[in-house]
Amino acid sequence: MLDLILKNGKIVDGSGNPWYNGDVGVKDGLIVAIGRVDQEAGQIIDAARKVISPGFIDGHCHSDLMIIDHPHSEIKLQQGVTTEVVGNCGLAPAPFVREKAQLLQTYVQPVLGSTSWEWPWETVSQYMDFVGRSNPSEHIATYVAHGALRIAVMGFENRPASKNELERMKTLLEEGLRAGAIGLSIGLLYAPGSYTSRDELAELCSVLPKYNGLLSTHIRGEGNNLLPSVAEVIWIAERAGISLHISHLKAAGRANWGKALDALELVEAARARGMDVTVDVYPYAAGSTTLTTVLPPWVLEGGIEATLEAFRDKALRMRIKEELGREQDTWDNLVCSTGWTSIILSSMQTDANKTLEGKSIAEVAELRGQHPVDCMMDLLLEEKGQIAIVYFHMSDDDVKQVIGYEKSLIASDSLNCEIGKPHPRTYGTFPRVFAKYVREDKVLSLEQAVRKLTSFPAQRFKLGKRGLLVPGYAADITVFDPDAIQDTATFEEPRQYPASISHVIVSGQLTLSHGVHTHKREGQLIRAQHCCTH
């Protein structure tokens, strides 16, 4: 007898092949039968007029700490997500060196959030074990994060790594890869990643081929420096002889709209040379990050406390204001490309500033009678540097271009959302793909969309036998109404679950039933299926 049968559904198997009508049988956490399944089962669910697809995989998000504090993962399960990939953009809570605890924790807090408890791990392996023991409702895989490596070894020093320091970073990277991390993530927009040369990164990446590890990158600039930034990471990957994945590819700032196609042409040129390069994208024309990313890189030397101290120096304030007032050759000035009116405060730490959430920096500056740069620095002082923002800086046409690109997969890039007004992608990414880009704009077919959310990320991130509805594969399954699936989260009211995702199965267990969480916690820590050559 089977554990579960999904009957009479429209099977979209994740391969990109056309849908067909049929049933899916599940036993002992695996898919065991597809097509017409006439066996008995402990539970039978009628999926008539609904799609049965593999569970969605969020291949780029920042739930590293949320998955521990909120192991039921309802925000993602309500979207049909059964697996998340964390450790992105060089941001992760491990490796964690005690004497540099404050540097790392304040570095990751605006994106990953904070905890009310002490982190008990030191290595990436220990972090992975801890996540596994938390028994989440969804699966988790992780990268080793370059920012955490550099902080563990060098703090926020703006200089090249010495030979000894580079060897220590290689050792920490290899420890994580041995434990089953996917590869290395780098965040070149963020200090201390921004302090690292391409030669140093290529040398660090020399560890990856031994483990068939993937290099995932938040490139150095997504605005005026988009094309040289894409070329830089392609150079690094080519020099190291590794696979490359470019995160949340976009062209930021009105003056750069249209350059997404040029960036994709660089990717295609690299692939034509035999390089393995892919990208991901989120289905919105607005991004989200920490407010400190608008600052000149030198201001972030020494960590957040040193940054806040710089704001108290009148001469340094004038220098910051002057540099933010003009385009820069060596770093992307988000203020010039985006404008203060498009930078929206999404989460504030203090009760006194909670009313500012949802307002732009320009609005707050006007309310306070300040120059926007002074306003920004004072807000960061008041909030101890911990402010998340949403910024509107992309064109819909560019987003469509990247979503429709054959070698792109779709992910949320969701940040911690404990407080404030998070970007609606946190609650809406996956249903939005079907509502907007399949039904409304017809950028993708139903089958193409499912592939970008299932088998493609499963293959890219070495997640083993998942992402396809195939006998012998993990029974991670999502059931939804293709005509009614809809994101309801908005920028004004982002904390809203989507409509018409009825059932989600994780490891063969019904975890969302008729839209209600069953409190099952059958998720696992997924260790990458490396073909290690040592």
Side-chain angles (χ1 to χ4, degrees), residues 384-397:
K384 298 182 179 177
Q386 308 302 324
I387 299 176
I389 58 171
V390 169
Y391 50 119
F392 294 83
H393 63 165
M394 290 173 268
S395 81
D396 284 324
D397 286 343

Side-chain angles (χ1 to χ4, degrees), residues 72-113:
H72 285 97
S73 301
E74 183 148 16
I75 292 171
K76 291 299 174 67
L77 281 162
Q78 288 281 354
Q79 297 179 65
V81 173
T82 56
T83 302
E84 289 190 294
V85 177
V86 300
N88 287 286
C89 298
L91 295 152
F96 179 51
V97 177
R98 299 290 162 185
E99 55 267 29
K100 297 197 174 76
Q102 187 181 22
L103 284 179
L104 181 62
Q105 289 173 330
T106 54
Y107 167 64
V108 303
Q109 183 176 341
V111 176
L112 306 188

Side-chain angles (χ1 to χ4, degrees), residues 62-302:
H62 297 283
S63 306
D64 309 57
L65 297 174
M66 276 185 69
I67 194 64
I68 299 169
D69 274 338
H70 302 281
H72 285 97
S73 301
E74 183 148 16
I75 292 171
K76 291 299 174 67
L77 281 162
Q78 288 281 354
Q79 297 179 65
V81 173
T82 56
T83 302
E84 289 190 294
V85 177
V86 300
N88 287 286
C89 298
L91 295 152
F96 179 51
V97 177
R98 299 290 162 185
E99 55 267 29
K100 297 197 174 76
Q102 187 181 22
L103 284 179
L104 181 62
Q105 289 173 330
T106 54
Y107 167 64
V108 303
Q109 183 176 341
V111 176
L112 306 188
S114 59
T115 61
S116 59
W117 39 272
E118 292 291 320
W119 298 354
W121 56 79
E122 293 182 358
T123 65
V124 174
S125 177
Q126 289 168 349
Y127 165 76
M128 293 169 76
D129 289 344
F130 191 84
V131 171
R133 290 195 300 273
S134 70
N135 300 119
S137 288
E138 61 175 347
H139 309 303
I140 298 292
T142 188
Y143 290 98
V144 180
H146 173 248
L149 290 181
R150 213 170 197 269
I151 289 170
V153 174
M154 300 175 60
F156 275 84
E157 294 188 41
N158 185 359
R159 60 172 176 80
S162 68
K163 184 176 180 181
N164 178 261
E165 288 166 336
L166 194 50
E167 287 304 312
R168 286 164 60 197
M169 282 189 268
K170 285 182 180 180
T171 299
L172 291 171
L173 171 57
E174 189 157 15
E175 185 278 331
L177 293 169
R178 278 202 189 110
I182 296 165
L184 175 68
S185 81
I186 57 177
L188 301 184
L189 177 68
Y190 304 109
S194 59
Y195 303 149
T196 313
S197 72
R198 68 179 195 169
D199 293 283
E200 182 179 316
L201 288 165
E203 180 59 30
L204 180 61
C205 287
S206 67
V207 175
L208 293 175
K210 181 178 177 182
Y211 297 89
N212 193 27
L214 179 65
L215 175 63
S216 173
T217 173
H218 182 144
I219 57 178
R220 206 174 290 273
E222 297 173 325
N224 296 344
N225 290 314
L226 171 64
L227 300 182
S229 296
V230 171
E232 177 187 35
V233 294
I234 289 173
W235 182 91
I236 292 167
E238 197 161 19
R239 175 82 171 267
I242 55 177
S243 299
L244 173 66
H245 185 74
I246 299 174
S247 300
H248 40 64
L249 184 67
K250 65 176 75 74
R254 184 176 293 273
N256 300 302
W257 290 358
K259 288 184 182 177
L261 183 57
D262 299 326
L264 293 177
E265 287 174 355
L266 290 176
V267 172
E268 281 298 302
R271 291 187 65 89
R273 297 196 301 274
M275 289 187 67
D276 176 12
V277 187
T278 54
V279 307
D280 68 53
V281 59
Y282 48 79
Y284 294 85
S288 185
T289 188
T290 167
L291 183 55
T292 54
T293 57
V294 308
L295 294 166
W298 63 265
V299 184
L300 302 170
E301 292 174 25

Side-chain angles (χ1 to χ4, degrees), residues 472-492:
Y473 270 55
D476 299 335
I477 303 169
T478 293
V479 180
F480 62 94
D481 182 340
D483 298 320
I485 187 171
Q486 183 70 54
D487 56 309
T488 62
T490 64
F491 288 98
E492 295 74 27

